Amino acid sequence: MTELLVGLLARKRLVGALAGLLFLVGTAAWLTMPRQEDPSFVDRFATVVVPFPGADALLVERRILEPLEEELATVDDLREVESTARSGVAVMQLRLGDHVYDTDATWDEVRRALGDAELPAEAGPLRFDDDIGDPASVVLLVTGSADRLALRDAARQLEVALRQVPGVSRVDWVGDPGMELRVTVDPGEARRLGIAPERLAALLSSRNLTLPGGDLASDGRTIVLRPHTELADVAELRATPIALPGGAAVPLGEVAQVELSPLSPAPSLVRTNGEPAVGLSVVPTMPRDLVGFGHTLRSAVAEVDVGGLEVQVFADQPAQVEERLGELSRSLLMGVLIVALVLFVAMGPRLGVVVSSVVPLVAVSTVGVYAAGGGVLHQISIAALVLALGLLVDNAIVVAEAVQQHLDEGHPPQEAARRAVRELATPLFTATGTTLAAFAPMLISSGATADFTRAIPVVVVTSLVLSYLAAVAVTLLMAAWALRPAPTSGGRLESLARRLGGAVTQRPAAVVGGVLVALLATGSLLPFVAQEFFPLSDQTRVV
């Protein structure tokens, strides 16, 4: 392998072309790859609800939960089944094992087990939901009117437009007031005309039936007859003739008030800033590019005509993701600049340029390789890039210093580069491998936590591998081209390093003891440090 790396020194154009290609691929990936706030989770949770009207909790447990639990016991990949018996309903919370990634096949097995359970005829229907992990990304509120039915009609138009947006998985209603057709009979007028309320209800019921009309067969062709018995609108209902005892007929609108109205009591109500509202929550498909999805969704909403009403974006996760990733991207850029500044100050202009140039190259190339493997840009992957900044410069620093040392010894640039790669190729490979091994447990672990943090080892491992290749190829060529032999007299940093090195080697016991004392002292302070997996990003909202 060492001779292969030495051979690359004679192929400057090939190395430069490959490095430039990786940089361009990484730049394109950064601009186009999907963006989310957090990594996607595997859907390992589901709920089962079985109504059993009239049964107390004990009967629900015996007749519903026990048969279901016996059948679910045959599903090996179920990790946890939490059952709750209440009066008239049975609720089960299911959780798959952390090792399960093909959840569709396991949930199909769960459905078969639930279908095999012998439940009472009075129970049901059984409702199984394995989509509880898909949160809404955007919540829209329709406001601008005190008439909730007008808000509902506008929300219905908005729902039709939203379902046509690419990437929308489903649209759920928030605060749907419902709708009912109310017929209020004037008792005095009905008594005067001799119309009994029971007879009026029977007449309206028979007027609004959807009955099969039969079919006609002729010459081998069949024509289906559809009778027009269903009432089309409120005006048609108002015009429905009501037969009087004397044989005459009057329109329903003359003896009763016919109107559409919200359900009373309403199943749910929403108010925003003191005004009534009807909302829609939009759930995107998985995997998702939230930032691009948000732009498309907002454009679609702007084109919907809601009759002069106002559509408010109550919750906009895509905008939050765009802002959050923007902050992290600026932090990444600031980290690159800080690393470059430290290298300039500590190593001087020439060495600083040579070493710091590898930082943006490796960081951007890492993004390209990560995107090619199906990676998504989110706060965990960007945080992993920031973490890798301090690791990916180590190989370049060692290689550049080795080339500088051989230049100082009087060797020509190409010979200095060849000596450096022969000396350092294997040690740097070993050192990089030990660092990679430290992230191996995170990479091969499974479960919800591992799924959330998977991008950290993937990004760090990728950046370390690329940093090694860049150090033994790009950094070597740049060092041979840009570096010059340094003056014989050492600088202040070099003299300081000699004094510190001498002090350490003369008192090894004191150094080891001091390190142990510092380690024990810092370890004793750990109980006083607040522990949190990741900072919470929940936002308080009151509707």
Side-chain angles (χ1 to χ4, degrees), residues 326-350:
E327 294 176 355
L328 290 173
S329 301
R330 289 189 291 272
S331 298
L332 177 61
L333 178 60
M334 186 177 297
V336 172
L337 296 177
I338 292 175
V339 170
L341 179 62
V342 171
L343 292 173
F344 270 86
V345 172
M347 305 184 70
R350 289 184 178 272

Side-chain angles (χ1 to χ4, degrees), residues 48-60:
V48 178
V49 179
V50 184
F52 193 9
D56 59 13
L58 184 60
L59 186 60
V60 169

Side-chain angles (χ1 to χ4, degrees), residues 327 382 416 489 504:
E327 294 176 355
I382 297 180
S489 59
V504 168

Side-chain angles (χ1 to χ4, degrees), residues 486-506:
T488 55
S489 59
R492 294 181 179 178
L493 288 178
E494 186 174 348
S495 61
L496 176 62
R498 288 198 185 96
R499 289 196 297 271
L500 290 177
V504 168
T505 54
Q506 292 175 4

